[in-house]
Amino acid sequence: MEDQDSNPAKEVARDVFPFLRVYKDGTIQRLVATESLPPGLDSETNVVSKDVVIFPETGVSARLYLPNSAVAAADDEPISRKKLPLVVYYHGGGFFAASTASREYHSALNRIVAASNVILASVDYRLAPENPIPVPYADAFAALEWIAGAGGRSEPWLRDHADLDRVYLAVCLSLLLGDSCGANMSHHFALKLSGSGRALRIRGVAMIHPYFWGKDPIGAEVGDGFRKAMVDNWWLFVCPSEKGCDDPLINPFVEEGNGSGLQKLGCERVIVVVAGDDILKDRGRLYYEKLVGSGWKGKAEYLETEGKDHVFHIIQPDCEEAKIVFKRLGAFFNDDS
């Protein structure tokens, strides 16, 4: 990755504000979430993390997070008494920015794990444009199957600390959590698993500031042409589909009776979290309303944070509003009802 300032003669072929620039020589300059942090013990939260390679041939990996207290307790209690909810996490970034090691995500996930007392696997999928849609989806779903399947059972932290069989006996029990495009993927995976016959069942899905979109503006998008065009540009850049912003991957309401397919969502519980100043807010609220009205048999929750913008909990994980979100997530993950 090159810095434009160091080579002012370079010509920009496409500017995907605010995430990246593509230059005419093919160079890609990512502009956000570029600082990485290593795994290890976080002294502020007492959460420990490590990286595991899932598929060496593609580089897909995961960063695992575990309360350090669970590690210490392993020496004193039977393993069966220490099992924690397993949360599989997909980071945001428009499918073309950020990683599991990004400073913002690493810091926020330490806090989520500390507040929730869960074991969390943050998946590092390949990014567009080097790997266009649907590659990120394929990577993320394959990682989910590995984490909840034989690969996860062979990984010591997952094997010893993750509650894979608490409710469903021979099937794996986990929860999906994602923000922005990660929430988008969580939705599609919950649909994909519904009636699939796979030995994997998702207990709940937490969607934080979900990245859904569409060609025709709704809500605040109608009067905000700048941000409508900005988000249009994000999706059109990563997805080669001829359907544009009405591709079912980004607009879940364009097929099956304007969202009636949501009744097939393959999980028991969903929480949709939105931010009041986020241009994606109206799509998140619409998703919640469509889900509740679809005939889906699960339990849906909705949380809106007024006066905050997209992924504020990642950018400002120590603000009071973020702490409220983390507390609500913890209650969601640990709800046995």
Side-chain angles (χ1 to χ4, degrees), residues 174-178 182-191 202-208 265-273 287 291 296 299-301 329 332-333:
S174 59
L175 300 107
L176 293 181
L177 168 63
N184 172 301
M185 289 194 287
S186 296
H187 155 77
H188 286 289
F189 298 163
L191 279 181
I202 301 302
R203 186 175 180 199
V205 176
M207 301 183 184
I208 307 178
L265 206 64
C267 61
E268 301 170 8
R269 294 180 293 121
V270 169
I271 183 170
V272 179
V273 181
Y287 183 93
L291 178 62
W296 175 65
K299 177 184 177 182
E301 302 176 37
L329 290 174
F332 180 80
F333 297 147

PDB file of all heavy atoms in Angstrom, residues 174-178 182-191 202-208 265-273 287 291 296 299-301 329 332-333:
ATOM      1  N   SER A 174     -24.132 -21.728  18.655  1.00  0.00           N
ATOM      2  CA  SER A 174     -23.318 -20.514  18.642  1.00  0.00           C
ATOM      3  C   SER A 174     -24.201 -19.321  18.362  1.00  0.00           C
ATOM      4  O   SER A 174     -25.376 -19.450  18.028  1.00  0.00           O
ATOM      5  CB  SER A 174     -22.206 -20.616  17.597  1.00  0.00           C
ATOM      6  OG  SER A 174     -22.737 -20.810  16.304  1.00  0.00           O
ATOM      7  N   LEU A 175     -23.626 -18.149  18.522  1.00  0.00           N
ATOM      8  CA  LEU A 175     -24.323 -16.911  18.229  1.00  0.00           C
ATOM      9  C   LEU A 175     -23.500 -16.126  17.229  1.00  0.00           C
ATOM     10  O   LEU A 175     -22.264 -16.165  17.246  1.00  0.00           O
ATOM     11  CB  LEU A 175     -24.514 -16.082  19.500  1.00  0.00           C
ATOM     12  CG  LEU A 175     -25.317 -16.753  20.626  1.00  0.00           C
ATOM     13  CD1 LEU A 175     -24.377 -17.144  21.749  1.00  0.00           C
ATOM     14  CD2 LEU A 175     -26.423 -15.853  21.104  1.00  0.00           C
ATOM     15  N   LEU A 176     -24.176 -15.433  16.340  1.00  0.00           N
ATOM     16  CA  LEU A 176     -23.510 -14.591  15.362  1.00  0.00           C
ATOM     17  C   LEU A 176     -23.623 -13.141  15.782  1.00  0.00           C
ATOM     18  O   LEU A 176     -24.689 -12.692  16.214  1.00  0.00           O
ATOM     19  CB  LEU A 176     -24.127 -14.763  13.973  1.00  0.00           C
ATOM     20  CG  LEU A 176     -23.954 -16.117  13.293  1.00  0.00           C
ATOM     21  CD1 LEU A 176     -24.615 -16.086  11.912  1.00  0.00           C
ATOM     22  CD2 LEU A 176     -22.496 -16.493  13.154  1.00  0.00           C
ATOM     23  N   LEU A 177     -22.525 -12.408  15.649  1.00  0.00           N
ATOM     24  CA  LEU A 177     -22.486 -10.979  15.938  1.00  0.00           C
ATOM     25  C   LEU A 177     -21.720 -10.306  14.823  1.00  0.00           C
ATOM     26  O   LEU A 177     -20.651 -10.775  14.421  1.00  0.00           O
ATOM     27  CB  LEU A 177     -21.781 -10.726  17.278  1.00  0.00           C
ATOM     28  CG  LEU A 177     -21.387  -9.280  17.609  1.00  0.00           C
ATOM     29  CD1 LEU A 177     -22.624  -8.404  17.728  1.00  0.00           C
ATOM     30  CD2 LEU A 177     -20.582  -9.239  18.896  1.00  0.00           C
ATOM     31  N   GLY A 178     -22.265  -9.226  14.289  1.00  0.00           N
ATOM     32  CA  GLY A 178     -21.548  -8.482  13.273  1.00  0.00           C
ATOM     33  C   GLY A 178     -21.979  -7.040  13.259  1.00  0.00           C
ATOM     34  O   GLY A 178     -23.095  -6.709  13.677  1.00  0.00           O
ATOM     35  N   GLY A 182     -20.622  -6.919   8.406  1.00  0.00           N
ATOM     36  CA  GLY A 182     -20.622  -8.158   9.163  1.00  0.00           C
ATOM     37  C   GLY A 182     -22.017  -8.557   9.603  1.00  0.00           C
ATOM     38  O   GLY A 182     -22.359  -9.746   9.643  1.00  0.00           O
ATOM     39  N   ALA A 183     -22.858  -7.578   9.932  1.00  0.00           N
ATOM     40  CA  ALA A 183     -24.252  -7.853  10.258  1.00  0.00           C
ATOM     41  C   ALA A 183     -24.998  -8.341   9.026  1.00  0.00           C
ATOM     42  O   ALA A 183     -25.854  -9.232   9.114  1.00  0.00           O
ATOM     43  CB  ALA A 183     -24.914  -6.592  10.821  1.00  0.00           C
ATOM     44  N   ASN A 184     -24.685  -7.772   7.880  1.00  0.00           N
ATOM     45  CA  ASN A 184     -25.268  -8.227   6.618  1.00  0.00           C
ATOM     46  C   ASN A 184     -24.974  -9.713   6.408  1.00  0.00           C
ATOM     47  O   ASN A 184     -25.876 -10.505   6.094  1.00  0.00           O
ATOM     48  CB  ASN A 184     -24.680  -7.376   5.481  1.00  0.00           C
ATOM     49  CG  ASN A 184     -25.057  -7.856   4.092  1.00  0.00           C
ATOM     50  OD1 ASN A 184     -24.780  -8.982   3.721  1.00  0.00           O
ATOM     51  ND2 ASN A 184     -25.667  -6.992   3.300  1.00  0.00           N
ATOM     52  N   MET A 185     -23.718 -10.114   6.593  1.00  0.00           N
ATOM     53  CA  MET A 185     -23.359 -11.516   6.402  1.00  0.00           C
ATOM     54  C   MET A 185     -24.066 -12.411   7.410  1.00  0.00           C
ATOM     55  O   MET A 185     -24.518 -13.521   7.071  1.00  0.00           O
ATOM     56  CB  MET A 185     -21.841 -11.682   6.494  1.00  0.00           C
ATOM     57  CG  MET A 185     -21.104 -11.090   5.303  1.00  0.00           C
ATOM     58  SD  MET A 185     -19.364 -11.606   5.173  1.00  0.00           S
ATOM     59  CE  MET A 185     -18.650 -10.647   6.515  1.00  0.00           C
ATOM     60  N   SER A 186     -24.199 -11.952   8.654  1.00  0.00           N
ATOM     61  CA  SER A 186     -24.875 -12.758   9.671  1.00  0.00           C
ATOM     62  C   SER A 186     -26.310 -13.059   9.263  1.00  0.00           C
ATOM     63  O   SER A 186     -26.808 -14.176   9.462  1.00  0.00           O
ATOM     64  CB  SER A 186     -24.847 -12.020  11.013  1.00  0.00           C
ATOM     65  OG  SER A 186     -23.531 -11.867  11.484  1.00  0.00           O
ATOM     66  N   HIS A 187     -26.991 -12.068   8.699  1.00  0.00           N
ATOM     67  CA  HIS A 187     -28.356 -12.284   8.203  1.00  0.00           C
ATOM     68  C   HIS A 187     -28.384 -13.379   7.147  1.00  0.00           C
ATOM     69  O   HIS A 187     -29.205 -14.312   7.213  1.00  0.00           O
ATOM     70  CB  HIS A 187     -28.903 -10.979   7.614  1.00  0.00           C
ATOM     71  CG  HIS A 187     -29.972 -11.182   6.584  1.00  0.00           C
ATOM     72  ND1 HIS A 187     -31.270 -11.511   6.909  1.00  0.00           N
ATOM     73  CD2 HIS A 187     -29.923 -11.122   5.217  1.00  0.00           C
ATOM     74  CE1 HIS A 187     -31.982 -11.642   5.798  1.00  0.00           C
ATOM     75  NE2 HIS A 187     -31.195 -11.422   4.769  1.00  0.00           N
ATOM     76  N   HIS A 188     -27.508 -13.288   6.173  1.00  0.00           N
ATOM     77  CA  HIS A 188     -27.522 -14.263   5.075  1.00  0.00           C
ATOM     78  C   HIS A 188     -27.157 -15.658   5.553  1.00  0.00           C
ATOM     79  O   HIS A 188     -27.697 -16.656   5.053  1.00  0.00           O
ATOM     80  CB  HIS A 188     -26.585 -13.798   3.963  1.00  0.00           C
ATOM     81  CG  HIS A 188     -27.139 -12.664   3.171  1.00  0.00           C
ATOM     82  ND1 HIS A 188     -28.199 -12.798   2.299  1.00  0.00           N
ATOM     83  CD2 HIS A 188     -26.808 -11.342   3.145  1.00  0.00           C
ATOM     84  CE1 HIS A 188     -28.492 -11.630   1.750  1.00  0.00           C
ATOM     85  NE2 HIS A 188     -27.663 -10.731   2.248  1.00  0.00           N
ATOM     86  N   PHE A 189     -26.272 -15.763   6.541  1.00  0.00           N
ATOM     87  CA  PHE A 189     -25.896 -17.078   7.043  1.00  0.00           C
ATOM     88  C   PHE A 189     -27.039 -17.713   7.829  1.00  0.00           C
ATOM     89  O   PHE A 189     -27.248 -18.930   7.767  1.00  0.00           O
ATOM     90  CB  PHE A 189     -24.641 -16.980   7.898  1.00  0.00           C
ATOM     91  CG  PHE A 189     -23.428 -16.481   7.138  1.00  0.00           C
ATOM     92  CD1 PHE A 189     -22.316 -16.012   7.820  1.00  0.00           C
ATOM     93  CD2 PHE A 189     -23.414 -16.464   5.752  1.00  0.00           C
ATOM     94  CE1 PHE A 189     -21.206 -15.550   7.132  1.00  0.00           C
ATOM     95  CE2 PHE A 189     -22.305 -15.993   5.054  1.00  0.00           C
ATOM     96  CZ  PHE A 189     -21.199 -15.535   5.746  1.00  0.00           C
ATOM     97  N   ALA A 190     -27.794 -16.895   8.566  1.00  0.00           N
ATOM     98  CA  ALA A 190     -28.943 -17.416   9.300  1.00  0.00           C
ATOM     99  C   ALA A 190     -30.004 -17.932   8.336  1.00  0.00           C
ATOM    100  O   ALA A 190     -30.675 -18.940   8.607  1.00  0.00           O
ATOM    101  CB  ALA A 190     -29.518 -16.348  10.216  1.00  0.00           C
ATOM    102  N   LEU A 191     -30.159 -17.267   7.195  1.00  0.00           N
ATOM    103  CA  LEU A 191     -31.080 -17.763   6.171  1.00  0.00           C
ATOM    104  C   LEU A 191     -30.546 -19.033   5.522  1.00  0.00           C
ATOM    105  O   LEU A 191     -31.284 -19.992   5.276  1.00  0.00           O
ATOM    106  CB  LEU A 191     -31.293 -16.692   5.096  1.00  0.00           C
ATOM    107  CG  LEU A 191     -32.285 -15.576   5.391  1.00  0.00           C
ATOM    108  CD1 LEU A 191     -32.369 -14.627   4.199  1.00  0.00           C
ATOM    109  CD2 LEU A 191     -33.678 -16.138   5.700  1.00  0.00           C
ATOM    110  N   ILE A 202     -27.694 -21.873  14.659  1.00  0.00           N
ATOM    111  CA  ILE A 202     -27.381 -20.572  15.231  1.00  0.00           C
ATOM    112  C   ILE A 202     -28.472 -20.209  16.221  1.00  0.00           C
ATOM    113  O   ILE A 202     -29.647 -20.133  15.871  1.00  0.00           O
ATOM    114  CB  ILE A 202     -27.275 -19.500  14.133  1.00  0.00           C
ATOM    115  CG1 ILE A 202     -26.199 -19.880  13.126  1.00  0.00           C
ATOM    116  CG2 ILE A 202     -26.980 -18.136  14.750  1.00  0.00           C
ATOM    117  CD1 ILE A 202     -24.830 -20.079  13.727  1.00  0.00           C
ATOM    118  N   ARG A 203     -28.081 -19.983  17.451  1.00  0.00           N
ATOM    119  CA  ARG A 203     -29.066 -19.660  18.469  1.00  0.00           C
ATOM    120  C   ARG A 203     -29.572 -18.233  18.348  1.00  0.00           C
ATOM    121  O   ARG A 203     -30.744 -17.952  18.552  1.00  0.00           O
ATOM    122  CB  ARG A 203     -28.462 -19.881  19.849  1.00  0.00           C
ATOM    123  CG  ARG A 203     -29.455 -19.706  20.951  1.00  0.00           C
ATOM    124  CD  ARG A 203     -28.834 -20.051  22.267  1.00  0.00           C
ATOM    125  NE  ARG A 203     -29.806 -19.882  23.320  1.00  0.00           N
ATOM    126  CZ  ARG A 203     -29.496 -19.761  24.597  1.00  0.00           C
ATOM    127  NH1 ARG A 203     -28.243 -19.791  24.961  1.00  0.00           N
ATOM    128  NH2 ARG A 203     -30.435 -19.608  25.506  1.00  0.00           N
ATOM    129  N   GLY A 204     -28.686 -17.296  18.061  1.00  0.00           N
ATOM    130  CA  GLY A 204     -29.101 -15.914  17.956  1.00  0.00           C
ATOM    131  C   GLY A 204     -28.200 -15.129  17.042  1.00  0.00           C
ATOM    132  O   GLY A 204     -27.065 -15.517  16.771  1.00  0.00           O
ATOM    133  N   VAL A 205     -28.716 -14.021  16.531  1.00  0.00           N
ATOM    134  CA  VAL A 205     -27.966 -13.125  15.656  1.00  0.00           C
ATOM    135  C   VAL A 205     -28.091 -11.705  16.205  1.00  0.00           C
ATOM    136  O   VAL A 205     -29.201 -11.211  16.421  1.00  0.00           O
ATOM    137  CB  VAL A 205     -28.481 -13.163  14.204  1.00  0.00           C
ATOM    138  CG1 VAL A 205     -27.732 -12.154  13.348  1.00  0.00           C
ATOM    139  CG2 VAL A 205     -28.330 -14.560  13.615  1.00  0.00           C
ATOM    140  N   ALA A 206     -26.947 -11.067  16.434  1.00  0.00           N
ATOM    141  CA  ALA A 206     -26.912  -9.672  16.861  1.00  0.00           C
ATOM    142  C   ALA A 206     -26.388  -8.834  15.704  1.00  0.00           C
ATOM    143  O   ALA A 206     -25.255  -9.025  15.261  1.00  0.00           O
ATOM    144  CB  ALA A 206     -26.024  -9.507  18.090  1.00  0.00           C
ATOM    145  N   MET A 207     -27.208  -7.932  15.202  1.00  0.00           N
ATOM    146  CA  MET A 207     -26.845  -7.085  14.069  1.00  0.00           C
ATOM    147  C   MET A 207     -26.651  -5.660  14.555  1.00  0.00           C
ATOM    148  O   MET A 207     -27.610  -5.002  14.969  1.00  0.00           O
ATOM    149  CB  MET A 207     -27.934  -7.122  13.007  1.00  0.00           C
ATOM    150  CG  MET A 207     -28.231  -8.488  12.446  1.00  0.00           C
ATOM    151  SD  MET A 207     -29.469  -8.395  11.132  1.00  0.00           S
ATOM    152  CE  MET A 207     -29.689 -10.138  10.791  1.00  0.00           C
ATOM    153  N   ILE A 208     -25.413  -5.192  14.509  1.00  0.00           N
ATOM    154  CA  ILE A 208     -25.118  -3.828  14.951  1.00  0.00           C
ATOM    155  C   ILE A 208     -24.930  -2.944  13.725  1.00  0.00           C
ATOM    156  O   ILE A 208     -24.049  -3.194  12.899  1.00  0.00           O
ATOM    157  CB  ILE A 208     -23.856  -3.793  15.824  1.00  0.00           C
ATOM    158  CG1 ILE A 208     -23.968  -4.802  16.978  1.00  0.00           C
ATOM    159  CG2 ILE A 208     -23.647  -2.394  16.386  1.00  0.00           C
ATOM    160  CD1 ILE A 208     -22.754  -4.859  17.857  1.00  0.00           C
ATOM    161  N   LEU A 265     -35.745 -17.276   8.744  1.00  0.00           N
ATOM    162  CA  LEU A 265     -34.482 -17.014   9.417  1.00  0.00           C
ATOM    163  C   LEU A 265     -34.166 -18.137  10.407  1.00  0.00           C
ATOM    164  O   LEU A 265     -34.959 -18.437  11.291  1.00  0.00           O
ATOM    165  CB  LEU A 265     -34.551 -15.672  10.149  1.00  0.00           C
ATOM    166  CG  LEU A 265     -33.227 -14.934  10.393  1.00  0.00           C
ATOM    167  CD1 LEU A 265     -32.582 -14.544   9.069  1.00  0.00           C
ATOM    168  CD2 LEU A 265     -33.461 -13.703  11.243  1.00  0.00           C
ATOM    169  N   GLY A 266     -32.998 -18.739  10.237  1.00  0.00           N
ATOM    170  CA  GLY A 266     -32.658 -19.941  10.990  1.00  0.00           C
ATOM    171  C   GLY A 266     -32.014 -19.677  12.335  1.00  0.00           C
ATOM    172  O   GLY A 266     -30.887 -20.125  12.579  1.00  0.00           O
ATOM    173  N   CYS A 267     -32.690 -18.956  13.202  1.00  0.00           N
ATOM    174  CA  CYS A 267     -32.201 -18.741  14.562  1.00  0.00           C
ATOM    175  C   CYS A 267     -33.394 -18.456  15.457  1.00  0.00           C
ATOM    176  O   CYS A 267     -34.503 -18.229  14.984  1.00  0.00           O
ATOM    177  CB  CYS A 267     -31.190 -17.596  14.618  1.00  0.00           C
ATOM    178  SG  CYS A 267     -31.843 -16.010  14.093  1.00  0.00           S
ATOM    179  N   GLU A 268     -33.142 -18.462  16.765  1.00  0.00           N
ATOM    180  CA  GLU A 268     -34.222 -18.287  17.729  1.00  0.00           C
ATOM    181  C   GLU A 268     -34.425 -16.838  18.145  1.00  0.00           C
ATOM    182  O   GLU A 268     -35.530 -16.451  18.530  1.00  0.00           O
ATOM    183  CB  GLU A 268     -33.937 -19.118  18.983  1.00  0.00           C
ATOM    184  CG  GLU A 268     -33.801 -20.602  18.712  1.00  0.00           C
ATOM    185  CD  GLU A 268     -33.277 -21.353  19.921  1.00  0.00           C
ATOM    186  OE1 GLU A 268     -33.182 -20.718  21.001  1.00  0.00           O
ATOM    187  OE2 GLU A 268     -32.976 -22.536  19.802  1.00  0.00           O
ATOM    188  N   ARG A 269     -33.350 -16.053  18.132  1.00  0.00           N
ATOM    189  CA  ARG A 269     -33.425 -14.689  18.620  1.00  0.00           C
ATOM    190  C   ARG A 269     -32.596 -13.765  17.738  1.00  0.00           C
ATOM    191  O   ARG A 269     -31.561 -14.162  17.207  1.00  0.00           O
ATOM    192  CB  ARG A 269     -32.926 -14.595  20.073  1.00  0.00           C
ATOM    193  CG  ARG A 269     -33.800 -15.335  21.057  1.00  0.00           C
ATOM    194  CD  ARG A 269     -33.286 -15.213  22.473  1.00  0.00           C
ATOM    195  NE  ARG A 269     -32.010 -15.905  22.628  1.00  0.00           N
ATOM    196  CZ  ARG A 269     -30.891 -15.329  23.011  1.00  0.00           C
ATOM    197  NH1 ARG A 269     -30.852 -14.034  23.276  1.00  0.00           N
ATOM    198  NH2 ARG A 269     -29.788 -16.034  23.151  1.00  0.00           N
ATOM    199  N   VAL A 270     -33.037 -12.528  17.610  1.00  0.00           N
ATOM    200  CA  VAL A 270     -32.328 -11.493  16.849  1.00  0.00           C
ATOM    201  C   VAL A 270     -32.413 -10.193  17.626  1.00  0.00           C
ATOM    202  O   VAL A 270     -33.469  -9.862  18.184  1.00  0.00           O
ATOM    203  CB  VAL A 270     -32.947 -11.290  15.443  1.00  0.00           C
ATOM    204  CG1 VAL A 270     -32.377 -10.037  14.776  1.00  0.00           C
ATOM    205  CG2 VAL A 270     -32.699 -12.503  14.554  1.00  0.00           C
ATOM    206  N   ILE A 271     -31.302  -9.472  17.665  1.00  0.00           N
ATOM    207  CA  ILE A 271     -31.336  -8.099  18.144  1.00  0.00           C
ATOM    208  C   ILE A 271     -30.764  -7.212  17.047  1.00  0.00           C
ATOM    209  O   ILE A 271     -29.714  -7.519  16.470  1.00  0.00           O
ATOM    210  CB  ILE A 271     -30.567  -7.907  19.470  1.00  0.00           C
ATOM    211  CG1 ILE A 271     -30.708  -6.454  19.944  1.00  0.00           C
ATOM    212  CG2 ILE A 271     -29.119  -8.330  19.361  1.00  0.00           C
ATOM    213  CD1 ILE A 271     -30.186  -6.215  21.354  1.00  0.00           C
ATOM    214  N   VAL A 272     -31.469  -6.156  16.717  1.00  0.00           N
ATOM    215  CA  VAL A 272     -31.024  -5.174  15.727  1.00  0.00           C
ATOM    216  C   VAL A 272     -30.679  -3.891  16.476  1.00  0.00           C
ATOM    217  O   VAL A 272     -31.519  -3.343  17.189  1.00  0.00           O
ATOM    218  CB  VAL A 272     -32.108  -4.899  14.667  1.00  0.00           C
ATOM    219  CG1 VAL A 272     -31.619  -3.862  13.657  1.00  0.00           C
ATOM    220  CG2 VAL A 272     -32.510  -6.180  13.958  1.00  0.00           C
ATOM    221  N   VAL A 273     -29.449  -3.428  16.324  1.00  0.00           N
ATOM    222  CA  VAL A 273     -28.973  -2.226  16.993  1.00  0.00           C
ATOM    223  C   VAL A 273     -28.669  -1.175  15.934  1.00  0.00           C
ATOM    224  O   VAL A 273     -27.940  -1.451  14.970  1.00  0.00           O
ATOM    225  CB  VAL A 273     -27.701  -2.526  17.824  1.00  0.00           C
ATOM    226  CG1 VAL A 273     -27.224  -1.266  18.538  1.00  0.00           C
ATOM    227  CG2 VAL A 273     -27.953  -3.654  18.817  1.00  0.00           C
ATOM    228  N   TYR A 287     -35.638  -3.544   8.640  1.00  0.00           N
ATOM    229  CA  TYR A 287     -35.359  -4.973   8.790  1.00  0.00           C
ATOM    230  C   TYR A 287     -36.081  -5.519  10.024  1.00  0.00           C
ATOM    231  O   TYR A 287     -36.737  -6.568   9.956  1.00  0.00           O
ATOM    232  CB  TYR A 287     -33.854  -5.195   8.917  1.00  0.00           C
ATOM    233  CG  TYR A 287     -33.463  -6.652   9.014  1.00  0.00           C
ATOM    234  CD1 TYR A 287     -33.122  -7.379   7.880  1.00  0.00           C
ATOM    235  CD2 TYR A 287     -33.445  -7.303  10.248  1.00  0.00           C
ATOM    236  CE1 TYR A 287     -32.777  -8.729   7.975  1.00  0.00           C
ATOM    237  CE2 TYR A 287     -33.105  -8.636  10.347  1.00  0.00           C
ATOM    238  CZ  TYR A 287     -32.768  -9.341   9.209  1.00  0.00           C
ATOM    239  OH  TYR A 287     -32.435 -10.667   9.297  1.00  0.00           O
ATOM    240  N   LEU A 291     -39.062  -8.219   9.929  1.00  0.00           N
ATOM    241  CA  LEU A 291     -38.862  -9.493  10.611  1.00  0.00           C
ATOM    242  C   LEU A 291     -40.017  -9.782  11.565  1.00  0.00           C
ATOM    243  O   LEU A 291     -40.579 -10.892  11.576  1.00  0.00           O
ATOM    244  CB  LEU A 291     -37.536  -9.462  11.377  1.00  0.00           C
ATOM    245  CG  LEU A 291     -37.187 -10.716  12.186  1.00  0.00           C
ATOM    246  CD1 LEU A 291     -37.043 -11.925  11.277  1.00  0.00           C
ATOM    247  CD2 LEU A 291     -35.905 -10.489  12.983  1.00  0.00           C
ATOM    248  N   TRP A 296     -42.067 -14.973  11.396  1.00  0.00           N
ATOM    249  CA  TRP A 296     -40.941 -15.670  12.020  1.00  0.00           C
ATOM    250  C   TRP A 296     -41.284 -15.964  13.474  1.00  0.00           C
ATOM    251  O   TRP A 296     -41.849 -15.130  14.178  1.00  0.00           O
ATOM    252  CB  TRP A 296     -39.701 -14.791  11.912  1.00  0.00           C
ATOM    253  CG  TRP A 296     -38.470 -15.295  12.589  1.00  0.00           C
ATOM    254  CD1 TRP A 296     -37.756 -16.411  12.284  1.00  0.00           C
ATOM    255  CD2 TRP A 296     -37.788 -14.668  13.697  1.00  0.00           C
ATOM    256  NE1 TRP A 296     -36.667 -16.527  13.124  1.00  0.00           N
ATOM    257  CE2 TRP A 296     -36.669 -15.474  14.007  1.00  0.00           C
ATOM    258  CE3 TRP A 296     -38.008 -13.516  14.447  1.00  0.00           C
ATOM    259  CZ2 TRP A 296     -35.773 -15.159  15.025  1.00  0.00           C
ATOM    260  CZ3 TRP A 296     -37.121 -13.194  15.468  1.00  0.00           C
ATOM    261  CH2 TRP A 296     -36.020 -14.013  15.744  1.00  0.00           C
ATOM    262  N   LYS A 299     -37.728 -14.522  18.717  1.00  0.00           N
ATOM    263  CA  LYS A 299     -37.865 -13.307  19.518  1.00  0.00           C
ATOM    264  C   LYS A 299     -36.958 -12.227  18.958  1.00  0.00           C
ATOM    265  O   LYS A 299     -35.755 -12.432  18.811  1.00  0.00           O
ATOM    266  CB  LYS A 299     -37.490 -13.598  20.974  1.00  0.00           C
ATOM    267  CG  LYS A 299     -37.520 -12.370  21.882  1.00  0.00           C
ATOM    268  CD  LYS A 299     -37.054 -12.722  23.288  1.00  0.00           C
ATOM    269  CE  LYS A 299     -36.999 -11.492  24.183  1.00  0.00           C
ATOM    270  NZ  LYS A 299     -36.495 -11.819  25.538  1.00  0.00           N
ATOM    271  N   ALA A 300     -37.515 -11.063  18.643  1.00  0.00           N
ATOM    272  CA  ALA A 300     -36.751  -9.954  18.069  1.00  0.00           C
ATOM    273  C   ALA A 300     -36.675  -8.798  19.056  1.00  0.00           C
ATOM    274  O   ALA A 300     -37.654  -8.480  19.731  1.00  0.00           O
ATOM    275  CB  ALA A 300     -37.384  -9.479  16.762  1.00  0.00           C
ATOM    276  N   GLU A 301     -35.496  -8.172  19.117  1.00  0.00           N
ATOM    277  CA  GLU A 301     -35.279  -7.003  19.960  1.00  0.00           C
ATOM    278  C   GLU A 301     -34.716  -5.869  19.102  1.00  0.00           C
ATOM    279  O   GLU A 301     -34.101  -6.116  18.051  1.00  0.00           O
ATOM    280  CB  GLU A 301     -34.285  -7.320  21.085  1.00  0.00           C
ATOM    281  CG  GLU A 301     -34.684  -8.463  21.984  1.00  0.00           C
ATOM    282  CD  GLU A 301     -33.616  -8.776  23.004  1.00  0.00           C
ATOM    283  OE1 GLU A 301     -32.977  -7.818  23.511  1.00  0.00           O
ATOM    284  OE2 GLU A 301     -33.370  -9.962  23.293  1.00  0.00           O
ATOM    285  N   LEU A 329     -25.786  -6.369  24.727  1.00  0.00           N
ATOM    286  CA  LEU A 329     -25.298  -7.549  24.019  1.00  0.00           C
ATOM    287  C   LEU A 329     -25.013  -8.686  25.000  1.00  0.00           C
ATOM    288  O   LEU A 329     -25.318  -9.855  24.730  1.00  0.00           O
ATOM    289  CB  LEU A 329     -24.050  -7.208  23.213  1.00  0.00           C
ATOM    290  CG  LEU A 329     -24.240  -6.314  21.996  1.00  0.00           C
ATOM    291  CD1 LEU A 329     -22.884  -5.963  21.394  1.00  0.00           C
ATOM    292  CD2 LEU A 329     -25.133  -6.963  20.955  1.00  0.00           C
ATOM    293  N   PHE A 332     -28.125 -10.339  25.915  1.00  0.00           N
ATOM    294  CA  PHE A 332     -28.615 -11.123  24.770  1.00  0.00           C
ATOM    295  C   PHE A 332     -27.871 -12.451  24.665  1.00  0.00           C
ATOM    296  O   PHE A 332     -28.472 -13.510  24.486  1.00  0.00           O
ATOM    297  CB  PHE A 332     -28.441 -10.298  23.496  1.00  0.00           C
ATOM    298  CG  PHE A 332     -28.894 -10.980  22.238  1.00  0.00           C
ATOM    299  CD1 PHE A 332     -30.229 -11.013  21.900  1.00  0.00           C
ATOM    300  CD2 PHE A 332     -27.978 -11.569  21.386  1.00  0.00           C
ATOM    301  CE1 PHE A 332     -30.659 -11.640  20.725  1.00  0.00           C
ATOM    302  CE2 PHE A 332     -28.384 -12.192  20.223  1.00  0.00           C
ATOM    303  CZ  PHE A 332     -29.732 -12.231  19.894  1.00  0.00           C
ATOM    304  N   PHE A 333     -26.546 -12.411  24.788  1.00  0.00           N
ATOM    305  CA  PHE A 333     -25.736 -13.620  24.636  1.00  0.00           C
ATOM    306  C   PHE A 333     -25.971 -14.622  25.751  1.00  0.00           C
ATOM    307  O   PHE A 333     -25.828 -15.844  25.545  1.00  0.00           O
ATOM    308  CB  PHE A 333     -24.247 -13.272  24.611  1.00  0.00           C
ATOM    309  CG  PHE A 333     -23.826 -12.410  23.443  1.00  0.00           C
ATOM    310  CD1 PHE A 333     -22.803 -11.481  23.593  1.00  0.00           C
ATOM    311  CD2 PHE A 333     -24.430 -12.528  22.215  1.00  0.00           C
ATOM    312  CE1 PHE A 333     -22.408 -10.691  22.525  1.00  0.00           C
ATOM    313  CE2 PHE A 333     -24.060 -11.753  21.143  1.00  0.00           C
ATOM    314  CZ  PHE A 333     -23.037 -10.819  21.304  1.00  0.00           C
TER     315      PHE A 333
END
